[in-house]
Amino acid sequence: VRGEMAAWARAVRGLLLDVSGVLYDSGGDGGVPIAGSVEAVRRIKASGLKLRFCTNETQATREKFVKKLQGMGFDISVTEVTAPAPAACRILKERSLRPHLLVHDALVPEFAEIDKANPNCVVIGDAAENFTYANLNEAFRVLIGMEKPVLISLGRGRYYKETDGLKLDVGAYMKALEYACDVQAEVVGKPAKMFFESALAEMGVPPQQAIMIGDDIVNDVGGAQRCGMRALQVRTGKYRPCDENHPHVKPDAYVNNLAEAVDIILQQL
């Protein structure tokens, strides 16, 4: 396998890593690092490859999220993280949009600079326990009351893996609002092209010299490939064996985990 796998490692200058399910599995206890991933990140950095952490994480500010990962031993800083909330804030400012927020309480500080009075759009993130009927209904009412409803979603994942099992993600609730309001959400996290392109721009690496490594076959792998990148599927996180028969997305390779991917890539350098 290694011989044919090596094809995707040629000419690589930058790596984009998904975080949840690749570096660690989240959980109420803070979560646990996936075996070998702390060391793998250290080896990537030592190799001189460019690196971005690309996350759809919207249950915490980047600062909090990064602190948690540093506590697990990861060499990671806020400036290396591409995340949906800051991207959404840029869009809100550019378009003079005032959001009604349906997000996790811990994410609200990311929107501190944004005018939220008299909202003319809805921003939805992974609100977890905040996804009550009352809160969804309130967001619905803001949208349905608009002539041209604007719904911005910080990702479109279906589910993710925590230490105690799979959890519904923002995409399921985004779809509910889309259906109720007959509106199409604008997605600012993965798999949006703009999200991957800004990560590549931050690294200064063209897509054909970058590899995305993720556990989400549609949003990580499919999204990156649509941008002209190669993409690897890890068999950790939310990966399920049925992903290997996905009707539309064929990863450039399957690897058991991040550590194995890094082994193969660094052998090619």
Coordinates of all heavy atoms in Angstrom, one line a residue, residues 195-264:
F195 N -13.7 28.6 3.1 CA -13.1 28.2 4.3 C -11.7 27.5 4.0 O -10.7 27.9 4.6 CB -14.0 27.2 5.1 CG -13.5 26.8 6.4 CD1 -13.8 27.6 7.5 CD2 -12.7 25.7 6.6 CE1 -13.3 27.3 8.8 CE2 -12.2 25.3 7.9 CZ -12.5 26.1 9.0
F196 N -11.7 26.6 3.1 CA -10.4 25.9 2.8 C -9.5 26.9 2.1 O -8.3 26.9 2.4 CB -10.7 24.7 1.9 CG -11.3 23.6 2.5 CD1 -12.6 23.2 2.3 CD2 -10.6 22.8 3.5 CE1 -13.3 22.1 2.9 CE2 -11.2 21.7 4.1 CZ -12.5 21.4 3.8
E197 N -10.0 27.8 1.2 CA -9.2 28.7 0.5 C -8.5 29.7 1.5 O -7.4 30.1 1.3 CB -10.0 29.5 -0.6 CG -10.2 28.6 -1.8 CD -11.3 29.1 -2.7 OE1 -11.9 30.1 -2.4 OE2 -11.4 28.5 -3.8
S198 N -9.2 30.1 2.6 CA -8.6 31.0 3.5 C -7.5 30.3 4.3 O -6.5 30.9 4.5 CB -9.6 31.8 4.4 OG -10.3 30.9 5.2
A199 N -7.7 29.0 4.6 CA -6.6 28.3 5.3 C -5.4 28.2 4.4 O -4.3 28.3 4.9 CB -7.1 26.9 5.7
L200 N -5.6 27.9 3.1 CA -4.5 27.8 2.1 C -3.8 29.1 2.0 O -2.5 29.2 2.0 CB -5.0 27.3 0.8 CG -5.4 25.8 0.7 CD1 -6.2 25.6 -0.6 CD2 -4.2 24.9 0.8
A201 N -4.6 30.2 1.9 CA -4.0 31.5 1.8 C -3.1 31.9 3.0 O -2.0 32.4 2.9 CB -5.1 32.6 1.6
E202 N -3.6 31.5 4.2 CA -2.9 31.8 5.4 C -1.5 31.0 5.4 O -0.6 31.5 6.0 CB -3.7 31.4 6.7 CG -4.8 32.4 7.0 CD -6.0 31.8 7.7 OE1 -6.0 30.7 8.1 OE2 -7.0 32.6 7.9
M203 N -1.5 29.8 4.8 CA -0.2 29.1 4.7 C 0.6 29.5 3.6 O 1.8 29.2 3.5 CB -0.5 27.6 4.5 CG -1.1 26.9 5.7 SD -1.0 25.1 5.6 CE -2.1 24.7 4.2
G204 N 0.0 30.2 2.6 CA 0.7 30.5 1.3 C 1.1 29.3 0.5 O 2.1 29.2 -0.1
V205 N 0.2 28.3 0.5 CA 0.4 27.1 -0.3 C -0.7 26.9 -1.3 O -1.9 27.0 -0.9 CB 0.5 25.9 0.7 CG1 0.5 24.6 0.0 CG2 1.7 26.0 1.6
P206 N -0.5 26.5 -2.5 CA -1.5 26.3 -3.5 C -2.2 24.9 -3.2 O -1.5 24.0 -2.6 CB -0.8 26.2 -4.8 CG 0.6 25.9 -4.5 CD 0.9 26.4 -3.2
P207 N -3.5 24.7 -3.6 CA -4.2 23.5 -3.2 C -3.5 22.2 -3.6 O -3.5 21.2 -2.9 CB -5.5 23.6 -3.9 CG -5.4 24.8 -4.8 CD -4.3 25.6 -4.3
Q208 N -2.8 22.2 -4.8 CA -2.2 21.0 -5.3 C -1.0 20.6 -4.5 O -0.4 19.5 -4.6 CB -1.9 21.0 -6.8 CG -1.1 22.2 -7.4 CD -1.9 23.5 -7.5 OE1 -3.1 23.5 -7.1 NE2 -1.3 24.5 -8.0
Q209 N -0.5 21.5 -3.6 CA 0.6 21.2 -2.7 C 0.2 21.0 -1.3 O 1.0 21.0 -0.4 CB 1.7 22.2 -2.8 CG 2.3 22.3 -4.2 CD 3.4 23.4 -4.3 OE1 3.6 24.2 -3.5 NE2 4.2 23.3 -5.3
A210 N -1.1 20.8 -1.1 CA -1.6 20.7 0.3 C -2.4 19.4 0.5 O -3.0 18.9 -0.5 CB -2.5 21.8 0.6
I211 N -2.4 18.8 1.7 CA -3.2 17.6 2.0 C -4.0 17.9 3.2 O -3.5 18.4 4.2 CB -2.2 16.4 2.3 CG1 -1.4 16.0 1.1 CG2 -3.1 15.2 2.7 CD1 -0.4 14.9 1.3
M212 N -5.3 17.6 3.1 CA -6.2 17.7 4.2 C -6.4 16.3 4.9 O -6.5 15.3 4.2 CB -7.6 18.2 3.7 CG -8.7 18.1 4.7 SD -8.6 19.6 5.8 CE -9.6 19.0 7.2
I213 N -6.3 16.3 6.2 CA -6.5 15.0 6.9 C -7.7 15.2 7.8 O -7.7 16.0 8.7 CB -5.2 14.7 7.7 CG1 -4.0 14.6 6.8 CG2 -5.4 13.3 8.4 CD1 -2.7 14.4 7.5
G214 N -8.7 14.3 7.6 CA -10.0 14.5 8.4 C -10.7 13.2 8.7 O -10.3 12.1 8.1
D215 N -11.7 13.3 9.6 CA -12.5 12.1 9.9 C -13.9 12.1 9.3 O -14.6 11.2 9.4 CB -12.6 11.9 11.4 CG -13.5 12.9 12.1 OD1 -13.5 14.1 11.7 OD2 -14.1 12.6 13.1
D216 N -14.2 13.3 8.7 CA -15.5 13.5 8.1 C -15.4 13.4 6.6 O -14.9 14.2 5.9 CB -16.1 14.9 8.5 CG -17.5 15.1 8.0 OD1 -17.9 14.7 6.9 OD2 -18.3 15.7 8.8
I217 N -16.0 12.2 6.1 CA -15.8 11.9 4.6 C -16.4 13.0 3.7 O -15.8 13.4 2.7 CB -16.4 10.5 4.3 CG1 -16.1 10.1 2.9 CG2 -17.9 10.5 4.6 CD1 -15.1 9.1 2.7
V218 N -17.5 13.6 4.1 CA -18.1 14.6 3.3 C -17.5 16.0 3.5 O -17.1 16.7 2.5 CB -19.6 14.7 3.6 CG1 -20.3 15.8 2.8 CG2 -20.3 13.4 3.2
N219 N -17.4 16.5 4.7 CA -17.0 17.9 5.0 C -15.5 18.1 4.9 O -15.1 19.1 4.5 CB -17.6 18.3 6.3 CG -19.1 18.4 6.2 OD1 -19.7 19.0 5.3 ND2 -19.8 17.8 7.2
D220 N -14.8 17.1 5.4 CA -13.3 17.3 5.4 C -12.7 16.8 4.0 O -12.1 17.6 3.3 CB -12.6 16.4 6.5 CG -13.0 16.9 7.9 OD1 -13.3 18.1 8.1 OD2 -13.0 16.0 8.8
V221 N -13.0 15.5 3.7 CA -12.4 14.9 2.5 C -13.0 15.5 1.3 O -12.3 16.0 0.4 CB -12.5 13.4 2.6 CG1 -12.0 12.7 1.3 CG2 -11.7 12.9 3.8
G222 N -14.3 15.4 1.1 CA -15.0 15.9 -0.1 C -14.8 17.4 -0.3 O -14.5 17.8 -1.4
G223 N -14.9 18.1 0.8 CA -14.7 19.6 0.7 C -13.4 20.0 0.2 O -13.2 20.8 -0.6
A224 N -12.3 19.3 0.8 CA -10.9 19.6 0.4 C -10.7 19.2 -1.1 O -10.1 20.0 -1.8 CB -10.0 18.9 1.3
Q225 N -11.2 18.1 -1.5 CA -11.0 17.6 -2.8 C -11.6 18.6 -3.8 O -11.1 18.8 -4.9 CB -11.5 16.2 -3.0 CG -10.6 15.1 -2.3 CD -11.2 13.7 -2.5 OE1 -12.4 13.5 -2.6 NE2 -10.3 12.7 -2.4
R226 N -12.8 19.1 -3.5 CA -13.4 20.1 -4.4 C -12.6 21.3 -4.6 O -12.8 22.1 -5.5 CB -14.9 20.4 -3.9 CG -15.9 19.3 -4.3 CD -17.3 19.9 -4.3 NE -17.6 20.5 -3.0 CZ -18.0 19.8 -2.0 NH1 -18.1 18.4 -2.1 NH2 -18.3 20.3 -0.8
C227 N -11.7 21.6 -3.7 CA -10.8 22.8 -3.8 C -9.5 22.4 -4.5 O -8.7 23.3 -4.6 CB -10.5 23.3 -2.4 SG -11.9 24.1 -1.6
G228 N -9.4 21.2 -4.9 CA -8.2 20.8 -5.7 C -7.1 20.3 -4.8 O -5.9 20.1 -5.2
M229 N -7.4 20.0 -3.5 CA -6.4 19.4 -2.6 C -6.6 17.9 -2.6 O -7.6 17.3 -3.0 CB -6.8 19.8 -1.2 CG -6.2 21.2 -0.8 SD -6.5 21.4 1.0 CE -7.9 22.4 0.9
R230 N -5.5 17.2 -2.2 CA -5.6 15.8 -1.8 C -6.2 15.7 -0.4 O -6.0 16.6 0.4 CB -4.3 15.1 -1.9 CG -3.7 15.2 -3.3 CD -2.7 14.1 -3.5 NE -2.3 14.0 -4.9 CZ -1.1 14.4 -5.4 NH1 -0.3 14.9 -4.5 NH2 -0.9 14.3 -6.6
A231 N -6.8 14.6 -0.1 CA -7.4 14.5 1.2 C -7.4 13.0 1.7 O -7.7 12.1 0.9 CB -8.9 15.0 1.2
L232 N -7.0 12.9 3.0 CA -6.9 11.5 3.6 C -8.0 11.4 4.6 O -8.3 12.3 5.4 CB -5.6 11.4 4.2 CG -4.3 11.7 3.4 CD1 -3.1 11.4 4.2 CD2 -4.3 11.0 2.1
Q233 N -8.5 10.1 4.7 CA -9.5 9.8 5.7 C -8.9 9.0 6.8 O -8.3 7.9 6.5 CB -10.7 9.0 5.0 CG -11.6 8.3 6.0 CD -12.7 9.2 6.4 OE1 -13.2 10.0 5.7 NE2 -13.1 9.1 7.7
V234 N -9.0 9.5 8.0 CA -8.4 8.7 9.1 C -9.5 7.7 9.6 O -10.7 8.0 9.5 CB -8.0 9.6 10.3 CG1 -6.7 10.3 10.0 CG2 -9.1 10.5 10.8
R235 N -9.1 6.6 10.1 CA -10.1 5.6 10.7 C -10.2 5.9 12.2 O -10.2 4.9 13.0 CB -9.7 4.2 10.4 CG -9.7 3.9 8.9 CD -9.4 2.4 8.7 NE -9.5 2.0 7.3 CZ -8.4 1.8 6.6 NH1 -7.2 1.9 7.1 NH2 -8.5 1.4 5.3
T236 N -10.3 7.2 12.6 CA -10.6 7.5 14.0 C -11.8 8.5 14.0 O -12.3 8.8 13.0 CB -9.3 8.2 14.6 OG1 -9.0 9.4 13.8 CG2 -8.1 7.3 14.7
G237 N -12.1 9.0 15.2 CA -13.2 9.9 15.3 C -14.5 9.3 14.9 O -14.8 8.2 15.3
K238 N -15.2 10.1 14.1 CA -16.6 9.6 13.7 C -16.5 8.6 12.5 O -17.6 8.2 12.1 CB -17.4 10.8 13.3 CG -17.1 11.4 12.0 CD -18.1 12.4 11.5 CE -17.8 13.7 12.1 NZ -18.6 14.8 11.4
Y239 N -15.3 8.3 12.0 CA -15.2 7.3 10.9 C -16.0 6.1 11.2 O -16.0 5.6 12.3 CB -13.7 6.9 10.7 CG -13.6 5.7 9.9 CD1 -13.6 5.7 8.5 CD2 -13.4 4.4 10.6 CE1 -13.4 4.5 7.8 CE2 -13.3 3.3 9.9 CZ -13.3 3.3 8.5 OH -13.2 2.1 7.8
R240 N -16.7 5.6 10.2 CA -17.4 4.3 10.3 C -17.1 3.5 9.0 O -16.9 4.1 8.0 CB -18.9 4.5 10.4 CG -19.3 5.2 11.7 CD -20.6 5.9 11.6 NE -21.7 5.0 11.8 CZ -22.9 5.1 11.2 NH1 -23.2 6.1 10.4 NH2 -23.8 4.2 11.5
P241 N -17.0 2.2 9.2 CA -16.6 1.4 8.0 C -17.4 1.7 6.7 O -16.9 1.6 5.6 CB -16.7 -0.1 8.5 CG -16.5 0.0 10.0 CD -17.1 1.4 10.4
C242 N -18.7 2.0 6.9 CA -19.5 2.3 5.7 C -19.0 3.5 4.9 O -19.3 3.7 3.7 CB -21.0 2.4 6.1 SG -21.3 3.9 7.2
D243 N -18.2 4.4 5.5 CA -17.6 5.5 4.8 C -16.8 5.0 3.6 O -16.6 5.8 2.6 CB -16.7 6.3 5.7 CG -17.5 7.1 6.8 OD1 -18.7 7.2 6.7 OD2 -16.8 7.5 7.8
E244 N -16.2 3.8 3.7 CA -15.4 3.4 2.6 C -16.1 3.0 1.4 O -15.5 2.8 0.3 CB -14.5 2.2 3.1 CG -13.7 2.6 4.4 CD -12.3 2.0 4.6 OE1 -11.8 1.4 3.6 OE2 -11.8 2.1 5.7
N245 N -17.5 3.0 1.5 CA -18.3 2.7 0.3 C -19.1 4.0 -0.1 O -20.2 3.9 -0.6 CB -19.3 1.6 0.5 CG -18.5 0.3 1.0 OD1 -17.5 0.0 0.4 ND2 -19.0 -0.3 2.0
H246 N -18.6 5.1 0.3 CA -19.3 6.4 0.0 C -19.6 6.5 -1.5 O -18.7 6.4 -2.3 CB -18.6 7.6 0.6 CG -19.5 8.8 0.7 ND1 -19.8 9.6 -0.4 CD2 -20.2 9.3 1.8 CE1 -20.6 10.6 0.0 NE2 -20.9 10.4 1.3
P247 N -20.9 6.8 -1.8 CA -21.2 6.9 -3.3 C -20.5 8.0 -4.0 O -20.3 7.9 -5.2 CB -22.7 7.1 -3.3 CG -23.1 7.6 -1.9 CD -22.0 7.0 -1.0
H248 N -20.1 9.1 -3.4 CA -19.6 10.3 -4.1 C -18.1 10.6 -3.8 O -17.4 11.1 -4.6 CB -20.4 11.5 -3.8 CG -21.9 11.3 -4.0 ND1 -22.4 10.9 -5.2 CD2 -22.9 11.4 -3.1 CE1 -23.7 10.8 -5.0 NE2 -24.0 11.0 -3.8
V249 N -17.7 10.3 -2.5 CA -16.4 10.8 -2.1 C -15.4 9.6 -2.0 O -15.7 8.6 -1.3 CB -16.5 11.5 -0.7 CG1 -15.1 12.1 -0.4 CG2 -17.5 12.7 -0.8
K250 N -14.3 9.7 -2.7 CA -13.2 8.7 -2.6 C -12.0 9.4 -2.1 O -11.4 10.1 -2.8 CB -13.0 8.1 -4.0 CG -14.2 7.3 -4.6 CD -14.3 5.9 -4.0 CE -15.6 5.2 -4.4 NZ -16.7 5.6 -3.5
P251 N -11.6 9.2 -0.8 CA -10.4 9.8 -0.3 C -9.1 9.4 -1.2 O -9.2 8.3 -1.8 CB -10.2 9.3 1.1 CG -11.6 8.8 1.4 CD -12.2 8.3 0.2
D252 N -8.1 10.2 -1.1 CA -6.9 9.8 -1.8 C -6.2 8.6 -1.1 O -5.5 7.9 -1.8 CB -5.9 11.0 -1.9 CG -6.5 12.1 -2.9 OD1 -6.2 11.9 -4.1 OD2 -7.2 13.0 -2.4
A253 N -6.5 8.4 0.1 CA -6.0 7.3 0.9 C -6.8 7.2 2.2 O -7.3 8.2 2.7 CB -4.5 7.3 1.1
Y254 N -6.8 6.0 2.7 CA -7.3 5.8 4.1 C -6.1 5.5 5.0 O -5.1 4.8 4.5 CB -8.2 4.5 4.2 CG -9.6 4.8 3.5 CD1 -9.7 4.4 2.2 CD2 -10.6 5.3 4.2 CE1 -11.0 4.6 1.6 CE2 -11.8 5.6 3.6 CZ -12.0 5.2 2.3 OH -13.2 5.4 1.7
V255 N -6.0 6.1 6.1 CA -4.9 5.8 7.1 C -5.6 5.5 8.4 O -6.7 6.0 8.7 CB -4.0 7.0 7.2 CG1 -3.1 7.2 6.0 CG2 -4.8 8.3 7.5
N256 N -4.9 4.7 9.2 CA -5.5 4.3 10.5 C -5.7 5.5 11.4 O -6.6 5.5 12.2 CB -4.7 3.1 11.1 CG -5.0 1.8 10.3 OD1 -6.1 1.6 9.9 ND2 -4.0 1.1 10.2
N257 N -4.7 6.4 11.4 CA -4.7 7.5 12.3 C -3.8 8.6 11.8 O -3.1 8.4 10.8 CB -4.4 7.1 13.7 CG -3.1 6.2 13.7 OD1 -2.2 6.5 13.0 ND2 -3.2 5.2 14.5
L258 N -3.7 9.7 12.4 CA -2.9 10.8 12.0 C -1.4 10.4 12.1 O -0.6 10.7 11.2 CB -3.1 12.0 13.0 CG -2.2 13.2 12.7 CD1 -2.4 13.8 11.3 CD2 -2.4 14.3 13.7
A259 N -1.0 9.6 13.1 CA 0.4 9.2 13.2 C 0.8 8.5 12.0 O 1.9 8.7 11.5 CB 0.6 8.4 14.5
E260 N 0.0 7.6 11.5 CA 0.3 6.8 10.3 C 0.5 7.7 9.1 O 1.4 7.6 8.3 CB -0.7 5.7 10.0 CG -0.3 4.8 8.9 CD -1.3 3.7 8.5 OE1 -2.5 4.0 8.5 OE2 -0.9 2.6 8.2
A261 N -0.5 8.6 8.9 CA -0.4 9.6 7.8 C 0.9 10.3 7.8 O 1.6 10.5 6.8 CB -1.6 10.6 7.9
V262 N 1.3 10.8 9.0 CA 2.5 11.6 9.1 C 3.8 10.8 8.8 O 4.7 11.2 8.1 CB 2.6 12.3 10.5 CG1 4.0 12.9 10.8 CG2 1.5 13.3 10.7
D263 N 3.8 9.5 9.3 CA 4.9 8.6 8.9 C 5.1 8.6 7.4 O 6.2 8.7 6.9 CB 4.5 7.2 9.4 CG 4.8 6.9 10.8 OD1 5.6 7.6 11.4 OD2 4.3 5.9 11.3
I264 N 4.0 8.3 6.7 CA 4.1 8.1 5.2 C 4.5 9.4 4.6 O 5.4 9.4 3.7 CB 2.8 7.6 4.7 CG1 2.4 6.3 5.3 CG2 2.9 7.5 3.1 CD1 1.0 5.8 5.0

